Amino acid sequence: VRLPPANEHPEDMPRGAAHWAARWTDDDIREIRRRVANGETQKGVARSLNTEPSAISRIVTRRTWAHVL
């Protein structure tokens, strides 16, 4: 299946866990946001998940995974 360029039909592009390169599920994203909301530092969450703090920041501020409530 050939996917259209993202700028052509962005609504047709896979999002979140449906994307082939996704590391996390929607439930993982909710858990990350819950942990930060409960006072854990973004750096601490990142360390426990073996990822960069900037990735956690983008999740928490909804710059990525914005579709997950």
Side-chain angles (χ1 to χ4, degrees):
V1 174
R2 180 192 148 316
L3 294 174
N7 61 350
E8 190 174 313
H9 294 285
E11 68 278 2
D12 293 336
M13 297 303 292
R15 298 183 75 175
H19 192 277
W20 66 270
R23 277 187 72 180
W24 298 300
T25 65
D26 292 0
D27 287 339
D28 294 331
I29 299 306
R30 289 183 194 98
E31 178 66 14
I32 289 167
R33 290 181 180 148
R34 184 195 63 76
R35 287 171 63 180
V36 172
N38 287 339
E40 192 170 343
T41 64
Q42 291 180 15
K43 189 173 184 178
V45 173
R47 190 176 296 123
S48 72
L49 296 174
N50 196 29
T51 193
E52 294 295 319
S54 61
I56 302 303
S57 175
R58 287 191 303 271
I59 290 168
V60 170
T61 59
R62 298 181 183 273
R63 283 181 283 178
T64 58
W65 293 85
H67 64 284
V68 177
L69 302 176

Short mmCIF file of all heavy atoms in Angstrom, two decimals:
data_model
loop_
_atom_site.label_atom_id
_atom_site.label_comp_id
_atom_site.label_asym_id
_atom_site.label_seq_id
_atom_site.Cartn_x
_atom_site.Cartn_y
_atom_site.Cartn_z
N VAL A 1 0.85 -1.18 0.00
CA VAL A 1 0.00 0.00 0.00
C VAL A 1 0.89 1.24 0.00
O VAL A 1 1.79 1.37 0.83
CB VAL A 1 -0.93 0.02 1.24
CG1 VAL A 1 -1.70 1.30 1.32
CG2 VAL A 1 -1.84 -1.17 1.22
N ARG A 2 0.64 2.12 -0.91
CA ARG A 2 1.38 3.37 -0.99
C ARG A 2 0.62 4.44 -0.25
O ARG A 2 -0.55 4.69 -0.52
CB ARG A 2 1.57 3.78 -2.45
CG ARG A 2 2.34 5.07 -2.62
CD ARG A 2 2.21 5.54 -4.06
NE ARG A 2 2.21 6.93 -4.36
CZ ARG A 2 1.60 7.94 -3.77
NH1 ARG A 2 0.90 7.74 -2.70
NH2 ARG A 2 1.66 9.17 -4.20
N LEU A 3 1.28 5.06 0.71
CA LEU A 3 0.67 6.15 1.46
C LEU A 3 0.91 7.46 0.75
O LEU A 3 2.00 7.67 0.20
CB LEU A 3 1.24 6.21 2.88
CG LEU A 3 0.92 5.02 3.77
CD1 LEU A 3 1.66 5.15 5.08
CD2 LEU A 3 -0.56 4.91 4.00
N PRO A 4 -0.07 8.35 0.75
CA PRO A 4 0.14 9.65 0.12
C PRO A 4 1.10 10.49 0.96
O PRO A 4 1.28 10.24 2.14
CB PRO A 4 -1.27 10.27 0.13
CG PRO A 4 -1.95 9.61 1.26
CD PRO A 4 -1.38 8.21 1.34
N PRO A 5 1.72 11.49 0.35
CA PRO A 5 2.56 12.39 1.14
C PRO A 5 1.74 13.03 2.26
O PRO A 5 0.54 13.27 2.11
CB PRO A 5 3.01 13.45 0.12
CG PRO A 5 2.79 12.83 -1.22
CD PRO A 5 1.66 11.85 -1.06
N ALA A 6 2.39 13.26 3.39
CA ALA A 6 1.70 13.78 4.58
C ALA A 6 1.01 15.10 4.30
O ALA A 6 -0.05 15.39 4.85
CB ALA A 6 2.68 13.93 5.72
N ASN A 7 1.58 15.93 3.42
CA ASN A 7 0.96 17.23 3.14
C ASN A 7 -0.20 17.12 2.18
O ASN A 7 -0.95 18.06 2.00
CB ASN A 7 2.01 18.22 2.62
CG ASN A 7 2.65 17.75 1.34
OD1 ASN A 7 2.47 16.62 0.91
ND2 ASN A 7 3.44 18.63 0.74
N GLU A 8 -0.37 15.97 1.55
CA GLU A 8 -1.46 15.79 0.59
C GLU A 8 -2.77 15.42 1.30
O GLU A 8 -3.81 16.01 1.07
CB GLU A 8 -1.08 14.71 -0.41
CG GLU A 8 -2.03 14.60 -1.58
CD GLU A 8 -1.50 13.61 -2.60
OE1 GLU A 8 -0.31 13.67 -2.94
OE2 GLU A 8 -2.30 12.76 -3.02
N HIS A 9 -2.70 14.42 2.17
CA HIS A 9 -3.88 13.95 2.93
C HIS A 9 -3.45 13.57 4.33
O HIS A 9 -3.38 12.39 4.68
CB HIS A 9 -4.53 12.75 2.24
CG HIS A 9 -5.13 13.05 0.93
ND1 HIS A 9 -6.32 13.73 0.80
CD2 HIS A 9 -4.70 12.79 -0.34
CE1 HIS A 9 -6.60 13.86 -0.48
NE2 HIS A 9 -5.63 13.31 -1.19
N PRO A 10 -3.16 14.55 5.19
CA PRO A 10 -2.66 14.21 6.53
C PRO A 10 -3.65 13.40 7.36
O PRO A 10 -3.24 12.63 8.23
CB PRO A 10 -2.39 15.57 7.17
CG PRO A 10 -3.18 16.54 6.37
CD PRO A 10 -3.30 15.97 4.99
N GLU A 11 -4.94 13.52 7.08
CA GLU A 11 -5.93 12.76 7.84
C GLU A 11 -5.83 11.26 7.55
O GLU A 11 -6.34 10.44 8.32
CB GLU A 11 -7.34 13.27 7.55
CG GLU A 11 -7.84 13.02 6.14
CD GLU A 11 -7.37 14.01 5.08
OE1 GLU A 11 -6.60 14.93 5.38
OE2 GLU A 11 -7.78 13.84 3.92
N ASP A 12 -5.17 10.89 6.45
CA ASP A 12 -5.03 9.48 6.10
C ASP A 12 -3.76 8.85 6.66
O ASP A 12 -3.57 7.65 6.54
CB ASP A 12 -5.00 9.33 4.57
CG ASP A 12 -6.34 9.68 3.94
OD1 ASP A 12 -7.37 9.61 4.64
OD2 ASP A 12 -6.35 10.04 2.75
N MET A 13 -2.90 9.65 7.26
CA MET A 13 -1.64 9.12 7.78
C MET A 13 -1.89 8.39 9.10
O MET A 13 -2.70 8.84 9.91
CB MET A 13 -0.63 10.25 8.00
CG MET A 13 -0.24 10.98 6.72
SD MET A 13 0.44 9.91 5.44
CE MET A 13 1.98 9.47 6.20
N PRO A 14 -1.20 7.28 9.32
CA PRO A 14 -1.35 6.57 10.60
C PRO A 14 -0.90 7.45 11.76
O PRO A 14 0.07 8.18 11.65
CB PRO A 14 -0.42 5.37 10.46
CG PRO A 14 -0.03 5.29 9.04
CD PRO A 14 -0.25 6.63 8.43
N ARG A 15 -1.64 7.38 12.86
CA ARG A 15 -1.31 8.18 14.04
C ARG A 15 -1.07 7.27 15.22
O ARG A 15 -1.66 6.20 15.33
CB ARG A 15 -2.46 9.12 14.38
CG ARG A 15 -2.74 10.11 13.26
CD ARG A 15 -3.80 11.06 13.67
NE ARG A 15 -3.21 12.01 14.61
CZ ARG A 15 -3.83 13.04 15.10
NH1 ARG A 15 -5.07 13.27 14.79
NH2 ARG A 15 -3.22 13.86 15.92
N GLY A 16 -0.22 7.74 16.13
CA GLY A 16 0.00 7.03 17.38
C GLY A 16 0.51 5.62 17.19
O GLY A 16 1.41 5.36 16.40
N ALA A 17 -0.09 4.68 17.91
CA ALA A 17 0.36 3.30 17.90
C ALA A 17 0.18 2.64 16.54
O ALA A 17 0.83 1.64 16.25
CB ALA A 17 -0.38 2.51 18.97
N ALA A 18 -0.65 3.19 15.67
CA ALA A 18 -0.84 2.64 14.33
C ALA A 18 0.33 2.94 13.40
O ALA A 18 0.49 2.31 12.37
CB ALA A 18 -2.13 3.18 13.72
N HIS A 19 1.15 3.92 13.78
CA HIS A 19 2.30 4.27 12.95
C HIS A 19 3.37 3.19 13.10
O HIS A 19 3.61 2.68 14.19
CB HIS A 19 2.86 5.63 13.37
CG HIS A 19 3.86 6.17 12.40
ND1 HIS A 19 5.17 5.80 12.41
CD2 HIS A 19 3.70 7.05 11.38
CE1 HIS A 19 5.80 6.43 11.43
NE2 HIS A 19 4.93 7.19 10.79
N TRP A 20 4.04 2.86 12.02
CA TRP A 20 5.01 1.76 12.03
C TRP A 20 6.18 2.00 12.99
O TRP A 20 6.78 1.03 13.48
CB TRP A 20 5.52 1.49 10.62
CG TRP A 20 6.33 2.62 10.05
CD1 TRP A 20 5.84 3.68 9.33
CD2 TRP A 20 7.72 2.84 10.19
NE1 TRP A 20 6.86 4.54 9.00
CE2 TRP A 20 8.04 4.05 9.51
CE3 TRP A 20 8.76 2.15 10.81
CZ2 TRP A 20 9.32 4.56 9.45
CZ3 TRP A 20 10.05 2.67 10.73
CH2 TRP A 20 10.31 3.86 10.05
N ALA A 21 6.51 3.25 13.28
CA ALA A 21 7.67 3.53 14.13
C ALA A 21 7.30 3.85 15.58
O ALA A 21 8.17 4.24 16.35
CB ALA A 21 8.47 4.70 13.54
N ALA A 22 6.06 3.68 15.95
CA ALA A 22 5.61 4.03 17.30
C ALA A 22 6.30 3.16 18.34
O ALA A 22 6.40 1.94 18.20
CB ALA A 22 4.10 3.89 17.42
N ARG A 23 6.78 3.83 19.41
CA ARG A 23 7.41 3.10 20.52
C ARG A 23 6.41 2.78 21.61
O ARG A 23 6.63 1.88 22.42
CB ARG A 23 8.51 3.96 21.15
CG ARG A 23 9.81 3.91 20.45
CD ARG A 23 10.86 4.64 21.24
NE ARG A 23 11.23 3.89 22.44
CZ ARG A 23 12.13 4.31 23.30
NH1 ARG A 23 12.73 5.46 23.14
NH2 ARG A 23 12.42 3.59 24.35
N TRP A 24 5.34 3.56 21.70
CA TRP A 24 4.41 3.44 22.80
C TRP A 24 2.99 3.26 22.32
O TRP A 24 2.65 3.59 21.19
CB TRP A 24 4.48 4.70 23.68
CG TRP A 24 5.81 4.90 24.29
CD1 TRP A 24 6.48 4.05 25.13
CD2 TRP A 24 6.69 6.02 24.11
NE1 TRP A 24 7.69 4.59 25.50
CE2 TRP A 24 7.84 5.79 24.88
CE3 TRP A 24 6.60 7.20 23.39
CZ2 TRP A 24 8.89 6.69 24.93
CZ3 TRP A 24 7.65 8.10 23.44
CH2 TRP A 24 8.78 7.83 24.21
N THR A 25 2.15 2.76 23.22
CA THR A 25 0.72 2.64 22.94
C THR A 25 0.00 3.85 23.54
O THR A 25 0.60 4.62 24.30
CB THR A 25 0.15 1.36 23.59
OG1 THR A 25 0.25 1.49 25.01
CG2 THR A 25 0.88 0.11 23.12
N ASP A 26 -1.27 3.98 23.23
CA ASP A 26 -2.07 5.06 23.81
C ASP A 26 -2.07 4.97 25.33
O ASP A 26 -2.01 5.99 26.03
CB ASP A 26 -3.49 5.03 23.27
CG ASP A 26 -3.59 5.39 21.79
OD1 ASP A 26 -2.54 5.68 21.16
OD2 ASP A 26 -4.72 5.39 21.27
N ASP A 27 -2.15 3.75 25.87
CA ASP A 27 -2.14 3.58 27.32
C ASP A 27 -0.80 4.02 27.93
O ASP A 27 -0.77 4.59 29.03
CB ASP A 27 -2.43 2.13 27.70
CG ASP A 27 -3.89 1.75 27.49
OD1 ASP A 27 -4.75 2.66 27.45
OD2 ASP A 27 -4.17 0.54 27.37
N ASP A 28 0.30 3.77 27.23
CA ASP A 28 1.61 4.23 27.70
C ASP A 28 1.64 5.75 27.80
O ASP A 28 2.17 6.31 28.76
CB ASP A 28 2.73 3.78 26.76
CG ASP A 28 2.92 2.28 26.72
OD1 ASP A 28 2.63 1.61 27.74
OD2 ASP A 28 3.37 1.78 25.68
N ILE A 29 1.05 6.42 26.81
CA ILE A 29 1.04 7.88 26.79
C ILE A 29 0.22 8.42 27.96
O ILE A 29 0.63 9.36 28.65
CB ILE A 29 0.48 8.40 25.45
CG1 ILE A 29 1.36 7.92 24.28
CG2 ILE A 29 0.34 9.91 25.46
CD1 ILE A 29 2.83 8.26 24.42
N ARG A 30 -0.92 7.79 28.23
CA ARG A 30 -1.74 8.21 29.38
C ARG A 30 -0.97 8.03 30.68
O ARG A 30 -1.04 8.87 31.58
CB ARG A 30 -3.04 7.41 29.40
CG ARG A 30 -4.00 7.79 28.30
CD ARG A 30 -5.32 7.03 28.41
NE ARG A 30 -6.06 7.18 27.18
CZ ARG A 30 -6.08 6.28 26.20
NH1 ARG A 30 -5.42 5.14 26.31
NH2 ARG A 30 -6.78 6.51 25.11
N GLU A 31 -0.23 6.92 30.79
CA GLU A 31 0.56 6.65 31.99
C GLU A 31 1.68 7.68 32.15
O GLU A 31 1.94 8.16 33.26
CB GLU A 31 1.14 5.23 31.93
CG GLU A 31 2.01 4.86 33.09
CD GLU A 31 1.27 4.77 34.41
OE1 GLU A 31 0.02 4.74 34.42
OE2 GLU A 31 1.95 4.73 35.46
N ILE A 32 2.35 8.04 31.07
CA ILE A 32 3.41 9.06 31.12
C ILE A 32 2.82 10.37 31.63
O ILE A 32 3.36 11.01 32.53
CB ILE A 32 4.06 9.24 29.74
CG1 ILE A 32 4.92 8.02 29.40
CG2 ILE A 32 4.88 10.54 29.68
CD1 ILE A 32 5.36 7.94 27.95
N ARG A 33 1.69 10.79 31.06
CA ARG A 33 1.06 12.05 31.48
C ARG A 33 0.61 11.99 32.93
O ARG A 33 0.73 12.96 33.68
CB ARG A 33 -0.10 12.38 30.55
CG ARG A 33 0.37 12.77 29.16
CD ARG A 33 -0.77 13.13 28.25
NE ARG A 33 -0.28 13.51 26.94
CZ ARG A 33 -0.91 13.29 25.81
NH1 ARG A 33 -2.10 12.71 25.81
NH2 ARG A 33 -0.38 13.67 24.66
N ARG A 34 0.09 10.83 33.36
CA ARG A 34 -0.36 10.68 34.75
C ARG A 34 0.82 10.80 35.70
O ARG A 34 0.74 11.47 36.73
CB ARG A 34 -1.06 9.32 34.94
CG ARG A 34 -1.63 9.13 36.34
CD ARG A 34 -1.98 7.68 36.62
NE ARG A 34 -0.82 6.81 36.58
CZ ARG A 34 0.12 6.72 37.54
NH1 ARG A 34 0.05 7.46 38.60
NH2 ARG A 34 1.14 5.89 37.40
N ARG A 35 1.93 10.14 35.38
CA ARG A 35 3.11 10.18 36.24
C ARG A 35 3.62 11.60 36.41
O ARG A 35 3.95 12.02 37.53
CB ARG A 35 4.20 9.28 35.67
CG ARG A 35 3.89 7.81 35.84
CD ARG A 35 4.85 6.91 35.10
NE ARG A 35 6.22 7.02 35.58
CZ ARG A 35 7.24 6.33 35.08
NH1 ARG A 35 7.06 5.48 34.10
NH2 ARG A 35 8.45 6.50 35.58
N VAL A 36 3.69 12.36 35.33
CA VAL A 36 4.17 13.74 35.41
C VAL A 36 3.17 14.59 36.18
O VAL A 36 3.55 15.41 37.01
CB VAL A 36 4.47 14.30 34.00
CG1 VAL A 36 4.78 15.78 34.06
CG2 VAL A 36 5.62 13.54 33.36
N ALA A 37 1.87 14.38 35.94
CA ALA A 37 0.84 15.15 36.65
C ALA A 37 0.88 14.87 38.15
O ALA A 37 0.55 15.75 38.96
CB ALA A 37 -0.54 14.82 36.09
N ASN A 38 1.32 13.67 38.54
CA ASN A 38 1.39 13.30 39.95
C ASN A 38 2.71 13.71 40.60
O ASN A 38 2.99 13.32 41.72
CB ASN A 38 1.17 11.80 40.12
CG ASN A 38 -0.28 11.41 39.92
OD1 ASN A 38 -1.17 12.24 40.03
ND2 ASN A 38 -0.52 10.16 39.62
N GLY A 39 3.53 14.46 39.87
CA GLY A 39 4.72 15.04 40.48
C GLY A 39 6.05 14.44 40.10
O GLY A 39 7.10 14.93 40.51
N GLU A 40 6.04 13.36 39.36
CA GLU A 40 7.32 12.78 38.92
C GLU A 40 7.94 13.70 37.86
O GLU A 40 7.23 14.28 37.04
CB GLU A 40 7.09 11.39 38.34
CG GLU A 40 8.36 10.60 38.14
CD GLU A 40 8.11 9.14 37.79
OE1 GLU A 40 6.99 8.64 38.00
OE2 GLU A 40 9.06 8.52 37.30
N THR A 41 9.24 13.84 37.90
CA THR A 41 9.88 14.73 36.93
C THR A 41 9.89 14.08 35.54
O THR A 41 9.91 12.86 35.41
CB THR A 41 11.34 15.05 37.31
OG1 THR A 41 12.10 13.84 37.27
CG2 THR A 41 11.42 15.69 38.69
N GLN A 42 9.88 14.94 34.53
CA GLN A 42 9.95 14.44 33.16
C GLN A 42 11.26 13.69 32.95
O GLN A 42 11.30 12.66 32.27
CB GLN A 42 9.81 15.59 32.17
CG GLN A 42 8.42 16.18 32.16
CD GLN A 42 8.26 17.31 31.18
OE1 GLN A 42 9.10 17.51 30.29
NE2 GLN A 42 7.19 18.07 31.31
N LYS A 43 12.32 14.19 33.55
CA LYS A 43 13.62 13.54 33.43
C LYS A 43 13.59 12.14 34.05
O LYS A 43 14.14 11.19 33.50
CB LYS A 43 14.70 14.39 34.09
CG LYS A 43 16.10 13.92 33.84
CD LYS A 43 17.11 14.91 34.40
CE LYS A 43 18.52 14.50 34.08
NZ LYS A 43 19.50 15.48 34.57
N GLY A 44 12.92 12.02 35.20
CA GLY A 44 12.80 10.72 35.85
C GLY A 44 11.99 9.74 35.03
O GLY A 44 12.34 8.56 34.92
N VAL A 45 10.90 10.21 34.45
CA VAL A 45 10.08 9.37 33.58
C VAL A 45 10.90 8.93 32.37
O VAL A 45 10.91 7.75 31.99
CB VAL A 45 8.78 10.09 33.15
CG1 VAL A 45 8.02 9.27 32.12
CG2 VAL A 45 7.90 10.40 34.35
N ALA A 46 11.61 9.88 31.77
CA ALA A 46 12.43 9.57 30.60
C ALA A 46 13.48 8.52 30.93
O ALA A 46 13.69 7.58 30.16
CB ALA A 46 13.09 10.84 30.07
N ARG A 47 14.12 8.67 32.08
CA ARG A 47 15.16 7.72 32.48
C ARG A 47 14.57 6.32 32.64
O ARG A 47 15.16 5.34 32.19
CB ARG A 47 15.81 8.18 33.78
CG ARG A 47 17.04 7.40 34.15
CD ARG A 47 17.73 7.94 35.40
NE ARG A 47 18.22 9.30 35.18
CZ ARG A 47 17.89 10.36 35.92
NH1 ARG A 47 17.06 10.22 36.94
NH2 ARG A 47 18.38 11.54 35.67
N SER A 48 13.39 6.23 33.25
CA SER A 48 12.79 4.91 33.47
C SER A 48 12.34 4.25 32.17
O SER A 48 12.24 3.03 32.10
CB SER A 48 11.61 5.02 34.44
OG SER A 48 10.50 5.65 33.82
N LEU A 49 12.09 5.05 31.15
CA LEU A 49 11.64 4.52 29.85
C LEU A 49 12.77 4.47 28.83
O LEU A 49 12.53 4.14 27.66
CB LEU A 49 10.48 5.37 29.31
CG LEU A 49 9.21 5.35 30.16
CD1 LEU A 49 8.20 6.33 29.61
CD2 LEU A 49 8.63 3.95 30.21
N ASN A 50 13.97 4.83 29.26
CA ASN A 50 15.14 4.81 28.39
C ASN A 50 14.92 5.66 27.12
O ASN A 50 15.11 5.19 26.00
CB ASN A 50 15.52 3.37 28.02
CG ASN A 50 16.91 3.28 27.44
OD1 ASN A 50 17.78 4.09 27.76
ND2 ASN A 50 17.13 2.31 26.58
N THR A 51 14.47 6.88 27.34
CA THR A 51 14.26 7.81 26.23
C THR A 51 14.74 9.19 26.64
O THR A 51 15.17 9.40 27.77
CB THR A 51 12.78 7.82 25.80
OG1 THR A 51 12.66 8.48 24.55
CG2 THR A 51 11.88 8.47 26.84
N GLU A 52 14.66 10.14 25.75
CA GLU A 52 15.11 11.49 26.00
C GLU A 52 14.03 12.30 26.75
O GLU A 52 12.84 12.15 26.46
CB GLU A 52 15.42 12.21 24.69
CG GLU A 52 16.59 11.62 23.94
CD GLU A 52 17.89 11.77 24.70
OE1 GLU A 52 18.12 12.85 25.29
OE2 GLU A 52 18.67 10.81 24.71
N PRO A 53 14.44 13.17 27.66
CA PRO A 53 13.47 14.03 28.35
C PRO A 53 12.66 14.89 27.37
O PRO A 53 11.49 15.16 27.63
CB PRO A 53 14.34 14.90 29.25
CG PRO A 53 15.56 14.10 29.50
CD PRO A 53 15.80 13.32 28.22
N SER A 54 13.24 15.26 26.25
CA SER A 54 12.51 16.07 25.28
C SER A 54 11.33 15.30 24.69
O SER A 54 10.28 15.89 24.38
CB SER A 54 13.43 16.56 24.16
OG SER A 54 14.00 15.46 23.47
N ALA A 55 11.45 13.98 24.56
CA ALA A 55 10.33 13.18 24.07
C ALA A 55 9.18 13.20 25.07
O ALA A 55 8.01 13.33 24.70
CB ALA A 55 10.78 11.74 23.81
N ILE A 56 9.51 13.11 26.36
CA ILE A 56 8.50 13.16 27.40
C ILE A 56 7.85 14.55 27.43
O ILE A 56 6.63 14.67 27.55
CB ILE A 56 9.10 12.80 28.77
CG1 ILE A 56 9.73 11.40 28.73
CG2 ILE A 56 8.05 12.91 29.88
CD1 ILE A 56 8.79 10.29 28.32
N SER A 57 8.65 15.59 27.29
CA SER A 57 8.13 16.95 27.26
C SER A 57 7.13 17.13 26.13
O SER A 57 6.06 17.71 26.33
CB SER A 57 9.28 17.96 27.11
OG SER A 57 8.77 19.26 26.99
N ARG A 58 7.46 16.63 24.96
CA ARG A 58 6.55 16.76 23.81
C ARG A 58 5.25 16.00 24.04
O ARG A 58 4.18 16.45 23.61
CB ARG A 58 7.24 16.29 22.53
CG ARG A 58 8.31 17.26 22.04
CD ARG A 58 8.81 16.92 20.65
NE ARG A 58 9.35 15.58 20.56
CZ ARG A 58 10.63 15.24 20.79
NH1 ARG A 58 11.50 16.18 21.13
NH2 ARG A 58 11.02 14.00 20.66
N ILE A 59 5.32 14.86 24.73
CA ILE A 59 4.11 14.10 25.05
C ILE A 59 3.26 14.86 26.05
O ILE A 59 2.05 15.02 25.86
CB ILE A 59 4.48 12.69 25.58
CG1 ILE A 59 5.06 11.85 24.46
CG2 ILE A 59 3.26 12.02 26.22
CD1 ILE A 59 5.72 10.57 24.93
N VAL A 60 3.88 15.36 27.12
CA VAL A 60 3.16 16.04 28.19
C VAL A 60 2.51 17.34 27.68
O VAL A 60 1.38 17.66 28.06
CB VAL A 60 4.09 16.32 29.38
CG1 VAL A 60 3.45 17.23 30.41
CG2 VAL A 60 4.51 15.00 30.03
N THR A 61 3.21 18.06 26.82
CA THR A 61 2.66 19.33 26.30
C THR A 61 1.79 19.11 25.07
O THR A 61 1.32 20.08 24.47
CB THR A 61 3.80 20.31 25.95
OG1 THR A 61 4.65 19.72 24.97
CG2 THR A 61 4.59 20.67 27.20
N ARG A 62 1.59 17.87 24.68
CA ARG A 62 0.73 17.46 23.57
C ARG A 62 1.20 17.95 22.20
O ARG A 62 0.41 18.10 21.29
CB ARG A 62 -0.72 17.85 23.82
CG ARG A 62 -1.30 17.17 25.03
CD ARG A 62 -2.76 17.52 25.27
NE ARG A 62 -3.23 16.91 26.47
CZ ARG A 62 -3.74 15.69 26.56
NH1 ARG A 62 -3.81 14.93 25.49
NH2 ARG A 62 -4.14 15.20 27.71
N ARG A 63 2.50 18.21 22.08
CA ARG A 63 3.04 18.50 20.76
C ARG A 63 3.11 17.22 19.94
O ARG A 63 3.08 17.26 18.71
CB ARG A 63 4.41 19.15 20.85
CG ARG A 63 4.29 20.63 21.23
CD ARG A 63 5.64 21.28 21.30
NE ARG A 63 6.24 20.86 22.57
CZ ARG A 63 7.44 21.19 22.99
NH1 ARG A 63 8.21 21.94 22.25
NH2 ARG A 63 7.88 20.79 24.16
N THR A 64 3.21 16.09 20.62
CA THR A 64 3.07 14.77 19.99
C THR A 64 2.00 14.02 20.75
O THR A 64 1.70 14.33 21.90
CB THR A 64 4.39 13.98 20.01
OG1 THR A 64 4.82 13.83 21.35
CG2 THR A 64 5.46 14.67 19.18
N TRP A 65 1.39 13.06 20.11
CA TRP A 65 0.34 12.24 20.71
C TRP A 65 -0.83 13.10 21.19
O TRP A 65 -1.50 12.75 22.17
CB TRP A 65 0.90 11.39 21.85
CG TRP A 65 1.88 10.33 21.39
CD1 TRP A 65 3.21 10.52 21.19
CD2 TRP A 65 1.60 8.97 21.07
NE1 TRP A 65 3.78 9.34 20.77
CE2 TRP A 65 2.83 8.37 20.70
CE3 TRP A 65 0.45 8.20 21.08
CZ2 TRP A 65 2.91 7.05 20.33
CZ3 TRP A 65 0.55 6.89 20.73
CH2 TRP A 65 1.77 6.30 20.34
N ALA A 66 -1.11 14.18 20.51
CA ALA A 66 -2.19 15.09 20.92
C ALA A 66 -3.57 14.44 20.81
O ALA A 66 -4.51 14.85 21.51
CB ALA A 66 -2.17 16.36 20.07
N HIS A 67 -3.69 13.44 19.98
CA HIS A 67 -4.98 12.78 19.80
C HIS A 67 -5.36 11.88 20.97
O HIS A 67 -6.52 11.47 21.09
CB HIS A 67 -4.96 11.95 18.50
CG HIS A 67 -3.97 10.84 18.54
ND1 HIS A 67 -2.62 11.03 18.40
CD2 HIS A 67 -4.16 9.49 18.71
CE1 HIS A 67 -2.01 9.87 18.49
NE2 HIS A 67 -2.91 8.93 18.69
N VAL A 68 -4.40 11.58 21.85
CA VAL A 68 -4.69 10.72 23.01
C VAL A 68 -5.20 11.58 24.15
O VAL A 68 -4.54 12.52 24.57
CB VAL A 68 -3.42 9.95 23.44
CG1 VAL A 68 -3.71 9.12 24.69
CG2 VAL A 68 -2.93 9.08 22.31
N LEU A 69 -6.38 11.26 24.63
CA LEU A 69 -6.98 12.03 25.72
C LEU A 69 -6.59 11.49 27.07
O LEU A 69 -6.20 10.42 27.27
CB LEU A 69 -8.51 12.03 25.58
CG LEU A 69 -9.01 12.60 24.28
CD1 LEU A 69 -10.53 12.47 24.21
CD2 LEU A 69 -8.62 14.04 24.12
#
